[in-house]
Amino acid sequence: MTKAHHRDWGVMEALLMLVKEQGFVTTRQAAALGASANTLSRLVAGGQLVRPISCVHLPAAAWGALTPERKHALLVKGVLADHPGWVASHHSALALSGVPLWDVPFGTVHVAGQQRNSVRRSSVHLHVLRPGDPVGEASGNSVITPGLATLQVAARFGVTAGVVAADACLAAGLTSSTTLRRLAMSDRWRYGVAAVRLVVALADGRAESAMESVLRSHLSDAGWGLEPQANLGGPGAGYRADLLVEGRVVVEYDGEEKYAGPEGHQALLAEKAREDHLRAEGYGFVRITKARIGRPAAVRRLVARALADRGAHKAIPPSQRGSNQRYEGGTAL
C-alpha cells in the first residue's frame, strides 16, 4: 500500500468513526479531516454513506430503518453543525424535539439566522430570525421554541400539519394553549394568519396519535361537535373513542400495525368485542384506514353517512349525560 493509499484509508476511517459518533458528517467536517469530495463520493458509491442533501452525509446502514422525523432531525443537526449561528425553525425545530409531523417537506431543512432576507439554498431554507423570536435548545441544538415553531408550520404548510404538531406539543408539555394563543395574536404573521388561528382553536392535547389529529382536522370544517378520546363507558375503565362526532358516531383510525405481531389476533378479538358493545349502546362506527387518511372529502362523506344512518338513535356518552355540553377544539361550549 502506497503512502497516499494509507493516508486515504486513514482519512476514511476517521470520517466513518465521526459518522458513527454523531450520526452524520458534513462536507465541511470531512474536509477538516482531509477528505476530498471524491472520498465522500466513493463512500456513497460503495454504499457506506447516503447524501440526502448536498452538505450532509449519513450512514447508509441505518438510513432505511429511521422514521422520516428522525432522518430529518439528523439532516438538521448536520446543517446546524456547519452553521453555528443558525437556529432550527418550523418543522425542523420540532423534529429535534421528537414531535410527530404530517405533510411537511422532510427533504428541506428550515433554519433562521441574522440576515435581512429569506434565502433558499438548495435543500436549506434560511429564514430571518426576528428580534424577540423565542429561541431554546433541543438535542443540543438551538431551535425556535415549540410554540412558535408549531405556528410556523401551520402558516406555511396548512391547518392539518399545524394541528398534528400542536396536539403533540400540548400532549408532551412542550407548549401551552396560552402560549399558542399569545403567539397567534402577535403581529409577526405576514401570511397564513387564518390557518394559524384555526390551529390554535382546534389544538387539543388529548389526541394520542398523529392520525387522530389528522382525522379531527379533516372533520373540523363540517361544523360537527368533536370530542377526542371520549370515554363511552363499558368494562373496566370504559372504552374510549379516538374521536366522537356529535356525541353518537365513533371515528377510529384503523392502522395495520395494531393487529401485527404475535398478539395481533387477540387485539383483533378485543377490538371486535369493543365495537359490538358500542354498537349495542347505539353508537355509529366509522373506521378510517391508511388508504383513506389522506382523502379529507372521503372521510367527511363516510362520517356524514354514519350520522344520517344513526339520526333516529342518538347515543349519549357518559361524559355528557345530564348535560347538553358540546365539544369543539377540546373546549366545552
Side-chain angles (χ1 to χ4, degrees), residues 315-332:
I316 305 298
S319 62
Q320 297 182 35
R321 287 172 187 166
S323 75
N324 292 315
Q325 282 186 319
R326 179 179 171 86
Y327 290 81
E328 293 185 7
T331 304

Side-chain angles (χ1 to χ4, degrees), residues 44-331:
V44 172
Q48 292 166 284
L49 296 178
V50 294
R51 182 169 47 213
I53 63 177
S54 59
C55 62
V56 183
H57 298 71
L58 299 107
W63 181 250
L66 298 175
T67 65
E69 288 91 345
R70 181 58 184 151
K71 290 178 180 178
H72 188 74
L74 287 173
L75 295 181
V76 177
K77 288 182 177 182
V79 170
L80 294 180
D82 265 1
H83 300 86
W86 292 355
V87 302
S89 66
H90 297 71
H91 61 289
S92 297
L94 298 176
L96 291 178
S97 295
V99 174
L101 301 167
W102 174 265
D103 202 20
V104 295
F106 287 110
T108 300
V109 173
H110 284 255
V111 292
Q114 303 283 354
Q115 77 284 332
R116 290 187 176 184
N117 299 303
S118 178
V119 179
R120 290 178 181 269
R121 300 179 179 178
S122 182
S123 298
V124 177
H125 193 152
L126 177 60
H127 301 268
V128 177
L129 183 65
R130 296 176 49 168
D133 281 352
V135 176
E137 184 179 301
S139 300
N141 294 271
S142 295
V143 299
I144 294 293
T145 53
L148 178 55
T150 290
L151 299 187
Q152 289 177 328
V153 167
R156 183 164 291 272
F157 305 115
V159 172
T160 300
V163 169
V164 170
D167 285 359
C169 285
L170 288 173
L174 296 175
T175 191
S176 67
S177 297
T178 301
T179 296
L180 291 177
R181 284 194 296 270
R182 175 176 54 79
L183 290 168
M185 298 308 296
S186 70
D187 61 0
R188 74 175 327 279
W189 307 105
R190 297 181 180 178
Y191 59 86
V193 177
V196 164
R197 293 182 180 173
L198 181 54
V199 165
V200 172
L202 293 174
D204 195 312
R206 290 177 291 175
E208 294 187 344
S209 73
M211 294 302 100
E212 292 180 31
S213 300
V214 171
L215 283 174
R216 200 170 77 259
S217 176
H218 286 349
L219 298 174
S220 63
D221 60 359
W224 296 320
L226 307 174
E227 185 181 359
Q229 290 299 317
N231 191 317
L232 307 181
Y239 292 128
R240 288 188 299 167
D242 286 352
L243 190 64
L244 184 66
V245 181
E246 288 291 290
R248 52 196 170 93
V249 170
V250 173
V251 180
E252 298 272 309
Y253 173 69
D254 208 15
E256 296 175 0
E257 62 277 4
K258 185 188 300 184
Y259 309 115
E263 297 180 356
H265 181 65
Q266 289 301 318
L268 182 62
L269 292 177
E271 187 62 23
K272 182 64 169 62
R274 173 177 173 271
E275 181 173 339
D276 287 345
H277 174 89
L278 294 177
R279 286 189 184 279
E281 290 290 306
Y283 293 101
F285 227 92
V286 175
R287 292 192 179 278
I288 305 299
T289 62
K290 185 177 182 179
R292 281 203 176 105
I293 195 71
R295 296 159 54 196
V299 171
R300 286 192 290 271
R301 283 196 298 272
L302 287 171
V303 174
R305 192 177 305 144
L307 286 168
D309 289 345
R310 308 302 300 185
H313 189 182
K314 295 185 178 181
I316 305 298
S319 62
Q320 297 182 35
R321 287 172 187 166
S323 75
N324 292 315
Q325 282 186 319
R326 179 179 171 86
Y327 290 81
E328 293 185 7
T331 304

